[in-house]
Amino acid sequence: MDRGKPGSEMHVLSDANGLPLLVGVSAGNTHDSEGLKPMVEVHQTRHDPHRGRYFKPQRLHADKAYDQADLRRWLWGRRIGVRIARKGIESSERSGRRRWVIERTVSWLSGYRRLSPRYEHDPRNYLAFLGLAAALCCYK
């Protein structure tokens, strides 16, 4: 955690093709891994009316910032496959083959003028514009 870091962070959960499924906003001084549990919990509670069942992600790819034993146990308990680069053991190049998908998605979202420098002071407004940008990305 960096106490002096101002601003906000966007959290994006995307599918294998890079389409944003969920977006979230947190304070800039929070660690990236703190946004993982709420995003996965919200995604798993969505109901698919056509198939009559709940969504369940098969696999999660993440970078070294998410390499924590409690997060791995939590994901394994939910029967979600984990592919997280381990700190000090694996290089980031192996996970980079899948990681470029989310980097591209974040690039798409930050390409919208309203989001890149944050103009909104209220986080609810910023989250609304972020959701609108994600919907436009899916539409395109």
Side-chain angles (χ1 to χ4, degrees), residues 105-140:
T105 304
V106 171
S107 174
W108 286 344
L109 292 174
S110 63
Y112 289 96
R113 198 177 122 221
R114 193 78 178 189
L115 299 177
S116 189
R118 183 175 168 175
Y119 293 116
E120 303 300 322
H121 293 289
D122 189 5
R124 292 177 295 183
N125 291 344
Y126 183 71
L127 182 61
F129 280 118
L130 187 60
L132 183 61
L136 288 173
C137 287
C138 291
Y139 177 72
K140 287 181 181 179

PDB file of all heavy atoms in Angstrom, residues 105-140:
ATOM      1  N   THR A 105      -7.554  -4.388 -22.917  1.00  0.00           N
ATOM      2  CA  THR A 105      -8.851  -3.927 -22.438  1.00  0.00           C
ATOM      3  C   THR A 105      -8.713  -2.633 -21.642  1.00  0.00           C
ATOM      4  O   THR A 105      -9.492  -1.694 -21.829  1.00  0.00           O
ATOM      5  CB  THR A 105      -9.511  -5.014 -21.568  1.00  0.00           C
ATOM      6  OG1 THR A 105      -9.590  -6.218 -22.321  1.00  0.00           O
ATOM      7  CG2 THR A 105     -10.888  -4.601 -21.133  1.00  0.00           C
ATOM      8  N   VAL A 106      -7.719  -2.566 -20.770  1.00  0.00           N
ATOM      9  CA  VAL A 106      -7.485  -1.345 -19.998  1.00  0.00           C
ATOM     10  C   VAL A 106      -7.101  -0.203 -20.936  1.00  0.00           C
ATOM     11  O   VAL A 106      -7.502   0.942 -20.736  1.00  0.00           O
ATOM     12  CB  VAL A 106      -6.414  -1.587 -18.915  1.00  0.00           C
ATOM     13  CG1 VAL A 106      -5.997  -0.299 -18.245  1.00  0.00           C
ATOM     14  CG2 VAL A 106      -6.936  -2.562 -17.880  1.00  0.00           C
ATOM     15  N   SER A 107      -6.358  -0.515 -21.982  1.00  0.00           N
ATOM     16  CA  SER A 107      -6.004   0.506 -22.965  1.00  0.00           C
ATOM     17  C   SER A 107      -7.242   1.027 -23.692  1.00  0.00           C
ATOM     18  O   SER A 107      -7.356   2.226 -23.957  1.00  0.00           O
ATOM     19  CB  SER A 107      -5.006  -0.064 -23.964  1.00  0.00           C
ATOM     20  OG  SER A 107      -4.753   0.835 -24.991  1.00  0.00           O
ATOM     21  N   TRP A 108      -8.167   0.127 -24.035  1.00  0.00           N
ATOM     22  CA  TRP A 108      -9.423   0.547 -24.664  1.00  0.00           C
ATOM     23  C   TRP A 108     -10.177   1.505 -23.748  1.00  0.00           C
ATOM     24  O   TRP A 108     -10.698   2.533 -24.182  1.00  0.00           O
ATOM     25  CB  TRP A 108     -10.309  -0.642 -24.955  1.00  0.00           C
ATOM     26  CG  TRP A 108      -9.894  -1.498 -26.091  1.00  0.00           C
ATOM     27  CD1 TRP A 108      -9.010  -1.198 -27.083  1.00  0.00           C
ATOM     28  CD2 TRP A 108     -10.357  -2.822 -26.356  1.00  0.00           C
ATOM     29  NE1 TRP A 108      -8.888  -2.253 -27.933  1.00  0.00           N
ATOM     30  CE2 TRP A 108      -9.709  -3.262 -27.525  1.00  0.00           C
ATOM     31  CE3 TRP A 108     -11.241  -3.678 -25.723  1.00  0.00           C
ATOM     32  CZ2 TRP A 108      -9.923  -4.521 -28.069  1.00  0.00           C
ATOM     33  CZ3 TRP A 108     -11.456  -4.923 -26.259  1.00  0.00           C
ATOM     34  CH2 TRP A 108     -10.811  -5.340 -27.421  1.00  0.00           C
ATOM     35  N   LEU A 109     -10.255   1.134 -22.460  1.00  0.00           N
ATOM     36  CA  LEU A 109     -11.018   1.948 -21.518  1.00  0.00           C
ATOM     37  C   LEU A 109     -10.345   3.294 -21.254  1.00  0.00           C
ATOM     38  O   LEU A 109     -11.023   4.312 -21.132  1.00  0.00           O
ATOM     39  CB  LEU A 109     -11.219   1.197 -20.198  1.00  0.00           C
ATOM     40  CG  LEU A 109     -12.119  -0.031 -20.270  1.00  0.00           C
ATOM     41  CD1 LEU A 109     -12.111  -0.759 -18.949  1.00  0.00           C
ATOM     42  CD2 LEU A 109     -13.515   0.352 -20.670  1.00  0.00           C
ATOM     43  N   SER A 110      -9.040   3.306 -21.166  1.00  0.00           N
ATOM     44  CA  SER A 110      -8.358   4.567 -20.888  1.00  0.00           C
ATOM     45  C   SER A 110      -8.278   5.450 -22.124  1.00  0.00           C
ATOM     46  O   SER A 110      -7.887   6.610 -22.021  1.00  0.00           O
ATOM     47  CB  SER A 110      -6.957   4.307 -20.332  1.00  0.00           C
ATOM     48  OG  SER A 110      -6.175   3.639 -21.294  1.00  0.00           O
ATOM     49  N   GLY A 111      -8.676   4.941 -23.281  1.00  0.00           N
ATOM     50  CA  GLY A 111      -8.709   5.751 -24.490  1.00  0.00           C
ATOM     51  C   GLY A 111      -9.857   6.743 -24.511  1.00  0.00           C
ATOM     52  O   GLY A 111      -9.848   7.674 -25.312  1.00  0.00           O
ATOM     53  N   TYR A 112     -10.826   6.558 -23.642  1.00  0.00           N
ATOM     54  CA  TYR A 112     -11.937   7.500 -23.571  1.00  0.00           C
ATOM     55  C   TYR A 112     -11.497   8.728 -22.776  1.00  0.00           C
ATOM     56  O   TYR A 112     -10.953   8.613 -21.684  1.00  0.00           O
ATOM     57  CB  TYR A 112     -13.162   6.845 -22.935  1.00  0.00           C
ATOM     58  CG  TYR A 112     -13.780   5.826 -23.842  1.00  0.00           C
ATOM     59  CD1 TYR A 112     -13.475   4.485 -23.713  1.00  0.00           C
ATOM     60  CD2 TYR A 112     -14.641   6.213 -24.864  1.00  0.00           C
ATOM     61  CE1 TYR A 112     -14.027   3.544 -24.572  1.00  0.00           C
ATOM     62  CE2 TYR A 112     -15.185   5.287 -25.720  1.00  0.00           C
ATOM     63  CZ  TYR A 112     -14.881   3.956 -25.565  1.00  0.00           C
ATOM     64  OH  TYR A 112     -15.403   3.035 -26.417  1.00  0.00           O
ATOM     65  N   ARG A 113     -11.737   9.883 -23.341  1.00  0.00           N
ATOM     66  CA  ARG A 113     -11.207  11.129 -22.822  1.00  0.00           C
ATOM     67  C   ARG A 113     -11.660  11.430 -21.399  1.00  0.00           C
ATOM     68  O   ARG A 113     -10.936  12.026 -20.613  1.00  0.00           O
ATOM     69  CB  ARG A 113     -11.631  12.260 -23.754  1.00  0.00           C
ATOM     70  CG  ARG A 113     -10.808  13.493 -23.575  1.00  0.00           C
ATOM     71  CD  ARG A 113     -11.221  14.533 -24.571  1.00  0.00           C
ATOM     72  NE  ARG A 113     -11.616  15.695 -23.800  1.00  0.00           N
ATOM     73  CZ  ARG A 113     -12.635  16.458 -24.055  1.00  0.00           C
ATOM     74  NH1 ARG A 113     -13.423  16.195 -25.058  1.00  0.00           N
ATOM     75  NH2 ARG A 113     -12.904  17.494 -23.312  1.00  0.00           N
ATOM     76  N   ARG A 114     -12.830  11.013 -21.053  1.00  0.00           N
ATOM     77  CA  ARG A 114     -13.378  11.330 -19.734  1.00  0.00           C
ATOM     78  C   ARG A 114     -12.703  10.515 -18.625  1.00  0.00           C
ATOM     79  O   ARG A 114     -12.735  10.889 -17.465  1.00  0.00           O
ATOM     80  CB  ARG A 114     -14.874  11.035 -19.762  1.00  0.00           C
ATOM     81  CG  ARG A 114     -15.636  11.580 -18.604  1.00  0.00           C
ATOM     82  CD  ARG A 114     -15.861  13.034 -18.785  1.00  0.00           C
ATOM     83  NE  ARG A 114     -16.633  13.563 -17.686  1.00  0.00           N
ATOM     84  CZ  ARG A 114     -17.120  14.768 -17.673  1.00  0.00           C
ATOM     85  NH1 ARG A 114     -16.934  15.551 -18.702  1.00  0.00           N
ATOM     86  NH2 ARG A 114     -17.782  15.197 -16.653  1.00  0.00           N
ATOM     87  N   LEU A 115     -12.082   9.387 -18.983  1.00  0.00           N
ATOM     88  CA  LEU A 115     -11.527   8.496 -17.976  1.00  0.00           C
ATOM     89  C   LEU A 115     -10.030   8.670 -17.751  1.00  0.00           C
ATOM     90  O   LEU A 115      -9.539   8.440 -16.653  1.00  0.00           O
ATOM     91  CB  LEU A 115     -11.786   7.036 -18.376  1.00  0.00           C
ATOM     92  CG  LEU A 115     -13.241   6.628 -18.497  1.00  0.00           C
ATOM     93  CD1 LEU A 115     -13.340   5.213 -18.973  1.00  0.00           C
ATOM     94  CD2 LEU A 115     -13.940   6.798 -17.168  1.00  0.00           C
ATOM     95  N   SER A 116      -9.297   9.029 -18.791  1.00  0.00           N
ATOM     96  CA  SER A 116      -7.843   9.017 -18.700  1.00  0.00           C
ATOM     97  C   SER A 116      -7.316  10.011 -17.666  1.00  0.00           C
ATOM     98  O   SER A 116      -6.713   9.607 -16.698  1.00  0.00           O
ATOM     99  CB  SER A 116      -7.229   9.261 -20.067  1.00  0.00           C
ATOM    100  OG  SER A 116      -5.858   9.059 -20.019  1.00  0.00           O
ATOM    101  N   PRO A 117      -7.504  11.311 -17.813  1.00  0.00           N
ATOM    102  CA  PRO A 117      -7.327  12.120 -16.609  1.00  0.00           C
ATOM    103  C   PRO A 117      -8.682  12.178 -15.916  1.00  0.00           C
ATOM    104  O   PRO A 117      -9.689  12.490 -16.550  1.00  0.00           O
ATOM    105  CB  PRO A 117      -6.907  13.490 -17.133  1.00  0.00           C
ATOM    106  CG  PRO A 117      -7.425  13.560 -18.505  1.00  0.00           C
ATOM    107  CD  PRO A 117      -7.561  12.148 -19.002  1.00  0.00           C
ATOM    108  N   ARG A 118      -8.719  11.842 -14.670  1.00  0.00           N
ATOM    109  CA  ARG A 118     -10.003  11.762 -13.975  1.00  0.00           C
ATOM    110  C   ARG A 118     -10.536  13.153 -13.698  1.00  0.00           C
ATOM    111  O   ARG A 118      -9.988  13.896 -12.892  1.00  0.00           O
ATOM    112  CB  ARG A 118      -9.839  10.987 -12.673  1.00  0.00           C
ATOM    113  CG  ARG A 118     -11.150  10.814 -11.972  1.00  0.00           C
ATOM    114  CD  ARG A 118     -11.034   9.964 -10.769  1.00  0.00           C
ATOM    115  NE  ARG A 118     -12.252  10.086  -9.998  1.00  0.00           N
ATOM    116  CZ  ARG A 118     -12.496   9.387  -8.922  1.00  0.00           C
ATOM    117  NH1 ARG A 118     -11.631   8.529  -8.491  1.00  0.00           N
ATOM    118  NH2 ARG A 118     -13.617   9.559  -8.278  1.00  0.00           N
ATOM    119  N   TYR A 119     -11.634  13.493 -14.362  1.00  0.00           N
ATOM    120  CA  TYR A 119     -12.272  14.793 -14.174  1.00  0.00           C
ATOM    121  C   TYR A 119     -13.304  14.761 -13.052  1.00  0.00           C
ATOM    122  O   TYR A 119     -13.601  15.775 -12.458  1.00  0.00           O
ATOM    123  CB  TYR A 119     -12.965  15.248 -15.462  1.00  0.00           C
ATOM    124  CG  TYR A 119     -12.013  15.539 -16.581  1.00  0.00           C
ATOM    125  CD1 TYR A 119     -12.033  14.780 -17.740  1.00  0.00           C
ATOM    126  CD2 TYR A 119     -11.103  16.577 -16.501  1.00  0.00           C
ATOM    127  CE1 TYR A 119     -11.165  15.040 -18.774  1.00  0.00           C
ATOM    128  CE2 TYR A 119     -10.225  16.847 -17.531  1.00  0.00           C
ATOM    129  CZ  TYR A 119     -10.260  16.076 -18.666  1.00  0.00           C
ATOM    130  OH  TYR A 119      -9.406  16.332 -19.686  1.00  0.00           O
ATOM    131  N   GLU A 120     -13.872  13.608 -12.807  1.00  0.00           N
ATOM    132  CA  GLU A 120     -14.960  13.481 -11.835  1.00  0.00           C
ATOM    133  C   GLU A 120     -14.409  13.394 -10.416  1.00  0.00           C
ATOM    134  O   GLU A 120     -13.485  12.632 -10.152  1.00  0.00           O
ATOM    135  CB  GLU A 120     -15.792  12.236 -12.129  1.00  0.00           C
ATOM    136  CG  GLU A 120     -16.378  12.193 -13.513  1.00  0.00           C
ATOM    137  CD  GLU A 120     -17.307  13.346 -13.793  1.00  0.00           C
ATOM    138  OE1 GLU A 120     -18.052  13.742 -12.890  1.00  0.00           O
ATOM    139  OE2 GLU A 120     -17.259  13.854 -14.907  1.00  0.00           O
ATOM    140  N   HIS A 121     -14.984  14.144  -9.509  1.00  0.00           N
ATOM    141  CA  HIS A 121     -14.577  14.079  -8.112  1.00  0.00           C
ATOM    142  C   HIS A 121     -15.363  13.010  -7.357  1.00  0.00           C
ATOM    143  O   HIS A 121     -14.844  12.400  -6.435  1.00  0.00           O
ATOM    144  CB  HIS A 121     -14.763  15.434  -7.430  1.00  0.00           C
ATOM    145  CG  HIS A 121     -13.841  16.470  -7.966  1.00  0.00           C
ATOM    146  ND1 HIS A 121     -12.496  16.459  -7.720  1.00  0.00           N
ATOM    147  CD2 HIS A 121     -14.066  17.547  -8.757  1.00  0.00           C
ATOM    148  CE1 HIS A 121     -11.926  17.484  -8.323  1.00  0.00           C
ATOM    149  NE2 HIS A 121     -12.860  18.164  -8.965  1.00  0.00           N
ATOM    150  N   ASP A 122     -16.586  12.781  -7.755  1.00  0.00           N
ATOM    151  CA  ASP A 122     -17.429  11.787  -7.099  1.00  0.00           C
ATOM    152  C   ASP A 122     -17.127  10.411  -7.691  1.00  0.00           C
ATOM    153  O   ASP A 122     -17.209  10.229  -8.910  1.00  0.00           O
ATOM    154  CB  ASP A 122     -18.899  12.141  -7.319  1.00  0.00           C
ATOM    155  CG  ASP A 122     -19.840  11.296  -6.493  1.00  0.00           C
ATOM    156  OD1 ASP A 122     -19.351  10.494  -5.673  1.00  0.00           O
ATOM    157  OD2 ASP A 122     -21.059  11.437  -6.665  1.00  0.00           O
ATOM    158  N   PRO A 123     -16.769   9.423  -6.879  1.00  0.00           N
ATOM    159  CA  PRO A 123     -16.442   8.099  -7.427  1.00  0.00           C
ATOM    160  C   PRO A 123     -17.627   7.410  -8.101  1.00  0.00           C
ATOM    161  O   PRO A 123     -17.438   6.600  -9.008  1.00  0.00           O
ATOM    162  CB  PRO A 123     -15.964   7.307  -6.213  1.00  0.00           C
ATOM    163  CG  PRO A 123     -16.265   8.108  -5.028  1.00  0.00           C
ATOM    164  CD  PRO A 123     -16.550   9.497  -5.453  1.00  0.00           C
ATOM    165  N   ARG A 124     -18.851   7.745  -7.698  1.00  0.00           N
ATOM    166  CA  ARG A 124     -20.013   7.137  -8.355  1.00  0.00           C
ATOM    167  C   ARG A 124     -20.131   7.604  -9.797  1.00  0.00           C
ATOM    168  O   ARG A 124     -20.474   6.811 -10.686  1.00  0.00           O
ATOM    169  CB  ARG A 124     -21.287   7.461  -7.578  1.00  0.00           C
ATOM    170  CG  ARG A 124     -21.329   6.784  -6.210  1.00  0.00           C
ATOM    171  CD  ARG A 124     -22.552   7.177  -5.467  1.00  0.00           C
ATOM    172  NE  ARG A 124     -22.459   8.633  -5.190  1.00  0.00           N
ATOM    173  CZ  ARG A 124     -23.349   9.303  -4.505  1.00  0.00           C
ATOM    174  NH1 ARG A 124     -24.403   8.702  -4.026  1.00  0.00           N
ATOM    175  NH2 ARG A 124     -23.186  10.595  -4.289  1.00  0.00           N
ATOM    176  N   ASN A 125     -19.836   8.880 -10.041  1.00  0.00           N
ATOM    177  CA  ASN A 125     -19.875   9.385 -11.413  1.00  0.00           C
ATOM    178  C   ASN A 125     -18.767   8.760 -12.259  1.00  0.00           C
ATOM    179  O   ASN A 125     -18.977   8.417 -13.416  1.00  0.00           O
ATOM    180  CB  ASN A 125     -19.749  10.907 -11.428  1.00  0.00           C
ATOM    181  CG  ASN A 125     -20.953  11.593 -10.857  1.00  0.00           C
ATOM    182  OD1 ASN A 125     -22.014  10.984 -10.700  1.00  0.00           O
ATOM    183  ND2 ASN A 125     -20.798  12.865 -10.533  1.00  0.00           N
ATOM    184  N   TYR A 126     -17.577   8.624 -11.662  1.00  0.00           N
ATOM    185  CA  TYR A 126     -16.461   8.017 -12.392  1.00  0.00           C
ATOM    186  C   TYR A 126     -16.783   6.560 -12.728  1.00  0.00           C
ATOM    187  O   TYR A 126     -16.500   6.090 -13.832  1.00  0.00           O
ATOM    188  CB  TYR A 126     -15.183   8.114 -11.568  1.00  0.00           C
ATOM    189  CG  TYR A 126     -13.976   7.570 -12.270  1.00  0.00           C
ATOM    190  CD1 TYR A 126     -13.412   8.247 -13.344  1.00  0.00           C
ATOM    191  CD2 TYR A 126     -13.386   6.385 -11.871  1.00  0.00           C
ATOM    192  CE1 TYR A 126     -12.301   7.759 -13.992  1.00  0.00           C
ATOM    193  CE2 TYR A 126     -12.282   5.889 -12.504  1.00  0.00           C
ATOM    194  CZ  TYR A 126     -11.736   6.575 -13.570  1.00  0.00           C
ATOM    195  OH  TYR A 126     -10.642   6.081 -14.206  1.00  0.00           O
ATOM    196  N   LEU A 127     -17.382   5.840 -11.793  1.00  0.00           N
ATOM    197  CA  LEU A 127     -17.760   4.452 -12.042  1.00  0.00           C
ATOM    198  C   LEU A 127     -18.834   4.364 -13.123  1.00  0.00           C
ATOM    199  O   LEU A 127     -18.812   3.449 -13.950  1.00  0.00           O
ATOM    200  CB  LEU A 127     -18.258   3.804 -10.748  1.00  0.00           C
ATOM    201  CG  LEU A 127     -18.638   2.338 -10.827  1.00  0.00           C
ATOM    202  CD1 LEU A 127     -17.440   1.499 -11.236  1.00  0.00           C
ATOM    203  CD2 LEU A 127     -19.190   1.868  -9.500  1.00  0.00           C
ATOM    204  N   ALA A 128     -19.737   5.320 -13.151  1.00  0.00           N
ATOM    205  CA  ALA A 128     -20.769   5.329 -14.194  1.00  0.00           C
ATOM    206  C   ALA A 128     -20.148   5.549 -15.571  1.00  0.00           C
ATOM    207  O   ALA A 128     -20.511   4.865 -16.536  1.00  0.00           O
ATOM    208  CB  ALA A 128     -21.797   6.420 -13.903  1.00  0.00           C
ATOM    209  N   PHE A 129     -19.198   6.474 -15.673  1.00  0.00           N
ATOM    210  CA  PHE A 129     -18.529   6.689 -16.955  1.00  0.00           C
ATOM    211  C   PHE A 129     -17.671   5.485 -17.341  1.00  0.00           C
ATOM    212  O   PHE A 129     -17.559   5.146 -18.517  1.00  0.00           O
ATOM    213  CB  PHE A 129     -17.679   7.962 -16.918  1.00  0.00           C
ATOM    214  CG  PHE A 129     -18.477   9.207 -17.113  1.00  0.00           C
ATOM    215  CD1 PHE A 129     -18.536  10.164 -16.125  1.00  0.00           C
ATOM    216  CD2 PHE A 129     -19.175   9.429 -18.291  1.00  0.00           C
ATOM    217  CE1 PHE A 129     -19.280  11.312 -16.298  1.00  0.00           C
ATOM    218  CE2 PHE A 129     -19.926  10.575 -18.469  1.00  0.00           C
ATOM    219  CZ  PHE A 129     -19.975  11.519 -17.472  1.00  0.00           C
ATOM    220  N   LEU A 130     -17.078   4.832 -16.361  1.00  0.00           N
ATOM    221  CA  LEU A 130     -16.293   3.630 -16.633  1.00  0.00           C
ATOM    222  C   LEU A 130     -17.188   2.502 -17.143  1.00  0.00           C
ATOM    223  O   LEU A 130     -16.836   1.790 -18.082  1.00  0.00           O
ATOM    224  CB  LEU A 130     -15.551   3.208 -15.370  1.00  0.00           C
ATOM    225  CG  LEU A 130     -14.560   2.070 -15.488  1.00  0.00           C
ATOM    226  CD1 LEU A 130     -13.456   2.421 -16.470  1.00  0.00           C
ATOM    227  CD2 LEU A 130     -13.967   1.760 -14.129  1.00  0.00           C
ATOM    228  N   GLY A 131     -18.365   2.359 -16.554  1.00  0.00           N
ATOM    229  CA  GLY A 131     -19.321   1.369 -17.036  1.00  0.00           C
ATOM    230  C   GLY A 131     -19.826   1.679 -18.434  1.00  0.00           C
ATOM    231  O   GLY A 131     -20.012   0.781 -19.259  1.00  0.00           O
ATOM    232  N   LEU A 132     -20.032   2.941 -18.719  1.00  0.00           N
ATOM    233  CA  LEU A 132     -20.447   3.354 -20.053  1.00  0.00           C
ATOM    234  C   LEU A 132     -19.349   3.049 -21.079  1.00  0.00           C
ATOM    235  O   LEU A 132     -19.629   2.573 -22.177  1.00  0.00           O
ATOM    236  CB  LEU A 132     -20.794   4.841 -20.060  1.00  0.00           C
ATOM    237  CG  LEU A 132     -21.321   5.422 -21.365  1.00  0.00           C
ATOM    238  CD1 LEU A 132     -22.614   4.748 -21.771  1.00  0.00           C
ATOM    239  CD2 LEU A 132     -21.510   6.917 -21.228  1.00  0.00           C
ATOM    240  N   ALA A 133     -18.107   3.312 -20.725  1.00  0.00           N
ATOM    241  CA  ALA A 133     -16.986   3.005 -21.620  1.00  0.00           C
ATOM    242  C   ALA A 133     -16.877   1.499 -21.853  1.00  0.00           C
ATOM    243  O   ALA A 133     -16.600   1.055 -22.974  1.00  0.00           O
ATOM    244  CB  ALA A 133     -15.695   3.551 -21.042  1.00  0.00           C
ATOM    245  N   ALA A 134     -17.115   0.692 -20.807  1.00  0.00           N
ATOM    246  CA  ALA A 134     -17.068  -0.760 -20.968  1.00  0.00           C
ATOM    247  C   ALA A 134     -18.195  -1.234 -21.886  1.00  0.00           C
ATOM    248  O   ALA A 134     -17.989  -2.122 -22.717  1.00  0.00           O
ATOM    249  CB  ALA A 134     -17.184  -1.437 -19.603  1.00  0.00           C
ATOM    250  N   ALA A 135     -19.367  -0.635 -21.755  1.00  0.00           N
ATOM    251  CA  ALA A 135     -20.485  -1.003 -22.647  1.00  0.00           C
ATOM    252  C   ALA A 135     -20.168  -0.626 -24.091  1.00  0.00           C
ATOM    253  O   ALA A 135     -20.479  -1.389 -25.024  1.00  0.00           O
ATOM    254  CB  ALA A 135     -21.761  -0.314 -22.181  1.00  0.00           C
ATOM    255  N   LEU A 136     -19.544   0.525 -24.287  1.00  0.00           N
ATOM    256  CA  LEU A 136     -19.164   0.920 -25.652  1.00  0.00           C
ATOM    257  C   LEU A 136     -18.098  -0.004 -26.229  1.00  0.00           C
ATOM    258  O   LEU A 136     -18.104  -0.302 -27.425  1.00  0.00           O
ATOM    259  CB  LEU A 136     -18.672   2.367 -25.667  1.00  0.00           C
ATOM    260  CG  LEU A 136     -19.745   3.427 -25.480  1.00  0.00           C
ATOM    261  CD1 LEU A 136     -19.116   4.807 -25.338  1.00  0.00           C
ATOM    262  CD2 LEU A 136     -20.725   3.401 -26.628  1.00  0.00           C
ATOM    263  N   CYS A 137     -17.173  -0.470 -25.396  1.00  0.00           N
ATOM    264  CA  CYS A 137     -16.161  -1.427 -25.849  1.00  0.00           C
ATOM    265  C   CYS A 137     -16.819  -2.731 -26.292  1.00  0.00           C
ATOM    266  O   CYS A 137     -16.430  -3.326 -27.298  1.00  0.00           O
ATOM    267  CB  CYS A 137     -15.135  -1.707 -24.755  1.00  0.00           C
ATOM    268  SG  CYS A 137     -13.988  -0.367 -24.472  1.00  0.00           S
ATOM    269  N   CYS A 138     -17.800  -3.182 -25.540  1.00  0.00           N
ATOM    270  CA  CYS A 138     -18.505  -4.416 -25.917  1.00  0.00           C
ATOM    271  C   CYS A 138     -19.322  -4.218 -27.173  1.00  0.00           C
ATOM    272  O   CYS A 138     -19.439  -5.119 -27.998  1.00  0.00           O
ATOM    273  CB  CYS A 138     -19.417  -4.872 -24.770  1.00  0.00           C
ATOM    274  SG  CYS A 138     -18.532  -5.453 -23.341  1.00  0.00           S
ATOM    275  N   TYR A 139     -19.889  -3.023 -27.341  1.00  0.00           N
ATOM    276  CA  TYR A 139     -20.689  -2.743 -28.521  1.00  0.00           C
ATOM    277  C   TYR A 139     -19.840  -2.700 -29.772  1.00  0.00           C
ATOM    278  O   TYR A 139     -20.224  -3.204 -30.827  1.00  0.00           O
ATOM    279  CB  TYR A 139     -21.426  -1.417 -28.339  1.00  0.00           C
ATOM    280  CG  TYR A 139     -22.228  -1.001 -29.543  1.00  0.00           C
ATOM    281  CD1 TYR A 139     -23.400  -1.669 -29.879  1.00  0.00           C
ATOM    282  CD2 TYR A 139     -21.811   0.034 -30.357  1.00  0.00           C
ATOM    283  CE1 TYR A 139     -24.136  -1.313 -30.981  1.00  0.00           C
ATOM    284  CE2 TYR A 139     -22.532   0.420 -31.459  1.00  0.00           C
ATOM    285  CZ  TYR A 139     -23.698  -0.264 -31.775  1.00  0.00           C
ATOM    286  OH  TYR A 139     -24.411   0.099 -32.876  1.00  0.00           O
ATOM    287  N   LYS A 140     -18.664  -2.098 -29.671  1.00  0.00           N
ATOM    288  CA  LYS A 140     -17.774  -2.000 -30.833  1.00  0.00           C
ATOM    289  C   LYS A 140     -17.249  -3.349 -31.225  1.00  0.00           C
ATOM    290  O   LYS A 140     -16.971  -3.669 -32.316  1.00  0.00           O
ATOM    291  CB  LYS A 140     -16.608  -1.069 -30.525  1.00  0.00           C
ATOM    292  CG  LYS A 140     -17.018   0.381 -30.475  1.00  0.00           C
ATOM    293  CD  LYS A 140     -15.819   1.239 -30.179  1.00  0.00           C
ATOM    294  CE  LYS A 140     -16.187   2.695 -30.108  1.00  0.00           C
ATOM    295  NZ  LYS A 140     -15.046   3.546 -29.806  1.00  0.00           N
TER     296      LYS A 140
END
